[in-house]
Amino acid sequence: MTPASRTHLVLIPSYNTGPILVETVRAARACWSPVWVVVDGSTDGSDAPLDALAAADPGLRVLRLPRNAGKGAALLHGLEAAQAEGFTHALAMDADGQHPAGHIPALMAASMRRPEALVLGLPVFGPEAPALRVRGRRISNFWANLETLWAGLGDSLFGFRVYPVAPLVAVMRRTRWMRRYDFDAEAAVRLCWAGLPPMTIPVPVRYLSAAEGGVSHFRYGRDNLLLTGMHGRLMLGFLLRLPLLLARRARPRPPATVQG
């Protein structure tokens, strides 16, 4: 078993993920300890096997929310619990099998080398990736990069990343947003505004078919409307911060990309 880290943990939020949840958790535990799963009000019973796994594995913990609150809310619940126990960094990982557990150590190592940084996975899409999703995310990525003056976010919607816990919790406590699908992009932008330097590491993305157990809660109209409103708010914040961002951009910066 992987020795348990006292500073870095993996957080996996899950809502009605189906049988793939257990596979994802086992894969994460094979690569890192500890791993915490935040069950976000699931009603499909997918979390039931986790109790037996956690009882036999001190590196696995299961947290539960009584009702579905959204990805960001589930992560905030886990982040606050982790902060209370002294953890300084958390790697967020989706429960649906898209994020490659084998890349967890590389992202964690990058975070340990530069603990002040926001370490972001940079998705490498395979041929099975839905073209509509791949093309559509370019719009949000354009706005996120503009809102940070091209600080080096890479892909703002890819949620496989290592967050410094204290800055993210502080940012989330100051807003009622960032609780659902808007979490990934807004967290990246606001942490850049807070002065965290971004680093990117290329990682492959796996889109599972329904036959393979793939589950998606993405709703094209609803979630794109949420992103549109989010970028409207962020653009206002960007204009207020523009002098600071321009001054920051004029300073020398270390390389933003780490080769995986």
Side-chain angles (χ1 to χ4, degrees), residues 138-193:
R138 294 173 187 167
I139 300 172
S140 186
N141 287 335
F142 167 79
W143 287 109
N145 282 302
L146 172 61
E147 289 149 7
T148 57
L149 282 183
W150 287 270
L153 290 182
D155 190 303
S156 66
L157 295 174
F158 192 53
F160 190 48
R161 51 180 68 156
V162 186
Y163 293 102
V165 171
L168 180 55
V169 169
V171 163
M172 294 189 74
R173 284 175 175 168
R174 290 196 294 267
T175 178
R176 66 186 182 91
W177 303 102
M178 300 173 63
R179 299 304 190 265
R180 293 193 175 273
Y181 187 72
D182 55 342
F183 169 78
D184 291 321
E186 188 158 354
V189 169
R190 290 193 177 277
L191 288 175
C192 279
W193 286 353

Side-chain angles (χ1 to χ4, degrees), residues 107 118-122 152-155 198-202 255-260:
L107 269 68
L118 170 62
V119 180
L120 305 119
L122 184 65
L153 290 182
D155 190 303
M199 301 172 59
T200 58
I201 298 178
T257 302
V258 175
Q259 296 299 322

Side-chain angles (χ1 to χ4, degrees), residues 5-9 79 82-91 111-112 115 117 162-169:
S5 171
R6 294 172 181 249
T7 58
H8 289 59
L9 81 161
L79 289 164
Q83 188 176 39
E85 295 199 14
F87 289 95
T88 58
H89 293 75
L91 183 146
S111 174
M112 290 175 179
V162 186
Y163 293 102
V165 171
L168 180 55
V169 169

Side-chain angles (χ1 to χ4, degrees), residues 1-9 29 32-35 57-60 87 112:
M1 280 290 182
T2 306
S5 171
R6 294 172 181 249
T7 58
H8 289 59
L9 81 161
R29 273 295 293 118
W32 198 260
S33 179
V35 172
D57 181 0
L60 175 63
F87 289 95
M112 290 175 179

Side-chain angles (χ1 to χ4, degrees), residues 44-61:
D44 67 345
S46 57
D47 59 302
L50 297 181
D51 292 324
L53 292 178
D57 181 0
L60 175 63
R61 182 181 300 186

